[in-house]
Amino acid sequence: MECPKWRLGELEKSYSDLALKLHKPTNVKYTLMWGFGNTLHGCLPRGLGNESFLDLMRRLFGKTEKKTKPCSATVREELCHLRRQANRQRWTCWESDTAGVEVEVAMMSGRSWRFIIGNGAKGGEVKERLAELSGIHSTELSLLCGGVQLQDHEVLLATYAEALNKPPPQLQLLRIFRPSAISCSTDCTLKIWDLEKATCVNTLRGHGDGVMSLTVDWKSRYAVSGSHDCTLRVWDLDHGICVQAIQVAEHPAFCLEFDHSARRILTGSWDNNLKLWDSELGVCVGTLNGHSGMVKAVRLHWPNHKAISGSCDGTLKLWNTERSTCTQTFEHGEEVWAVDVDWISSTALSGSMDASICYWNLKSGACLGTLVGHTDAVSCLALRWSEGQALSASWDKTVRLWGLPNAVCLAVLQNGHAVTTMSVDWVHRTALAGSPEAMRLWNFETQICEQVLDGHLDVERKDSATSPTTPVSVGHDEAVSFLVMNSSESFFFGLM
């Protein structure tokens, strides 16, 4: 069957145009100008007719009434539809390519697939074909040819021509856990990292000011970020674009949590409040009022309509999100900067500016113990109650592993710089610690730093392990505000 290649180009351009439109970054100078215009509103003489000076400025700069933006699910569906169409058109072109080669791809489980790859087929395009055939997400797939891992940018018939003309199966397919992370920064960007190679693989732009908070649903491959520009942005990680921008007015999200299945975002801010947002409609659906200080940490458990928050007023509060009411208050004493919770055991940890860590029984309200060892503010906590362990990170430049039954410190990791954000993979016993200078990947079992992602000042890595063909680690221009590492638990959950 003849393949109209112009059709493939048309589909790819449609996809690219839509992605570019959604990915268009905010112009910071324009935003500041607009804010200044709002300040002057009412203070300057009226314009022509019933128009104010501000109305004239808006008309001059082409400002139009805000149109209703499609919700994230609708946008993603449209993008996925365009990608599927382009892929199927590409596969049709492969079938009609006289220079193409039929290959067989096999997995260790015994599953295999046969299809023709075109003369210009790249590794990433073949992986997308296999993702469609196998039902496995392309990020979890690794292709091997003759024992060599294929790179997404490689043209297969140009690089592996001899091996692909051998008897089948010519390619082997592995399903793997690929450690990765997402970080956000005061440079207004988010970055996706390959932790095995210590390289940045994608940069997400759209915020008009520093990004303070971030949460990721790795199974759905959505992320939500909060910024000083008073917006929440919902990101489609598969397509690398923002699919929803939510205006949060005077409530910039210093901390947030996201439940994709429920389409709910929980935010805490300097206004002392927590707010619930509908991530599809982009509207506030509830306000949780009760703290008398800035809210610095939140955790959400939507199935049971519960949330917990930590505040600069020195308290933790347990909330019923369905009724927007506080059901329990825990007095830590000093400013609470970090919180983590195990909802199954109803146990929570709180870390404070005074370097103390308390763990609590959420049902009785009792303090079960205090962890003492840090010498500066505790910025991050991770609780593993089933194993009786916790990890904490602090401005004292250390990450500490704790045994909760005896309240003892089991290990101290010397990070070298104040730790401001941390994410933990308990299965692989690794923790990614972020600081203004770098991100460090620690194995807290062996107490060894396995990777240093030191590209935050936009400097290329120059070490013996970097070859000319290896992507360089180009990072944020400014300090990392928050980071999230994909947990192998979420990966294994996706296998079920």
Side-chain angles (χ1 to χ4, degrees), residues 140-158:
E140 300 171 13
L141 300 180
S142 180
L143 268 176
L144 303 177
C145 183
V148 178
Q149 184 176 2
L150 275 62
Q151 302 301 312
D152 289 350
H153 65 275
E154 291 180 310
V155 177
L156 270 61
L157 290 181

Side-chain angles (χ1 to χ4, degrees), residues 251-325:
H251 182 85
F254 186 86
C255 53
L256 58 85
E257 282 276 274
F258 174 48
D259 188 303
H260 172 67
S261 59
R263 307 292 194 265
R264 287 293 181 270
I265 304 170
L266 178 67
T267 59
S269 184
W270 287 294
D271 62 4
N272 307 341
N273 295 328
L274 290 84
K275 288 181 180 288
L276 270 174
W277 306 85
D278 187 309
S279 63
E280 291 297 319
L281 301 178
V283 296
C284 178
V285 294
T287 300
L288 285 65
N289 192 312
H291 282 297
S292 59
M294 174 183 174
V295 181
K296 296 207 71 170
V298 292
R299 290 291 184 269
L300 174 67
H301 190 255
W302 186 256
N304 289 335
H305 300 286
K306 289 183 179 180
I308 194 168
S309 59
S311 168
C312 288
D313 63 12
T315 68
L316 283 82
K317 288 185 180 289
L318 186 65
W319 304 87
N320 182 313
T321 55
E322 193 172 30
R323 299 176 182 175
S324 297
T325 57

Side-chain angles (χ1 to χ4, degrees), residues 180-185 187-195 199-205 211 214 216 218 235 237 432 439 453 455-458 472-478 480 482-484:
S180 59
I182 303 179
S183 61
C184 61
S185 167
D187 68 2
C188 310
T189 69
L190 290 80
K191 288 185 179 287
I192 303 176
W193 301 85
D194 183 327
L195 295 182
T199 56
C200 174
V201 296
N202 199 4
T203 299
L204 308 180
R205 295 183 174 87
V211 188
L214 173 67
V216 185
W218 292 102
W235 302 89
L237 301 183
L432 184 62
M439 293 190 292
L453 286 75
H456 303 299
L457 298 178
D458 209 20
V472 294
S473 176
V474 178
H476 296 287
D477 293 325
E478 299 176 27
V480 171
F482 206 88
L483 58 84
V484 183

Side-chain angles (χ1 to χ4, degrees), residues 36-47 51-55 58:
F36 180 68
N38 278 314
T39 304
L40 295 178
H41 185 45
C43 301
L44 293 172
R46 304 292 291 183
E51 280 189 323
S52 67
F53 178 78
L54 180 60
D55 294 328
R58 282 181 173 156

Side-chain angles (χ1 to χ4, degrees), residues 80 224 237 341:
C80 288
V224 180
L237 301 183
V341 61

Side-chain angles (χ1 to χ4, degrees), residues 88-211:
R88 286 167 184 164
Q89 186 68 23
R90 180 178 293 110
W91 303 336
T92 300
C93 291
W94 289 356
E95 294 289 336
S96 61
D97 189 347
T98 56
V101 173
E102 184 178 45
V103 297
E104 181 177 336
V105 185
M107 293 186 74
M108 293 180 66
S109 63
R111 297 176 69 189
S112 64
W113 301 270
R114 280 178 176 263
F115 52 85
I116 293 174
I117 61 172
N119 190 43
K122 297 180 180 178
E125 295 170 346
V126 175
K127 279 169 62 176
E128 288 195 10
R129 178 77 188 268
L130 290 165
E132 174 93 0
L133 294 171
S134 65
I136 304 171
H137 198 278
S138 60
T139 58
E140 300 171 13
L141 300 180
S142 180
L143 268 176
L144 303 177
C145 183
V148 178
Q149 184 176 2
L150 275 62
Q151 302 301 312
D152 289 350
H153 65 275
E154 291 180 310
V155 177
L156 270 61
L157 290 181
T159 311
Y160 303 96
E162 183 178 348
L164 292 175
N165 282 290
K166 290 182 178 179
Q170 300 97 324
L171 299 174
Q172 292 75 44
L173 182 65
L174 300 178
R175 187 173 190 180
I176 60 172
F177 169 69
R178 193 181 304 278
S180 59
I182 303 179
S183 61
C184 61
S185 167
T186 51
D187 68 2
C188 310
T189 69
L190 290 80
K191 288 185 179 287
I192 303 176
W193 301 85
D194 183 327
L195 295 182
E196 284 185 342
K197 298 177 182 177
T199 56
C200 174
V201 296
N202 199 4
T203 299
L204 308 180
R205 295 183 174 87
H207 280 295
D209 208 333
V211 188

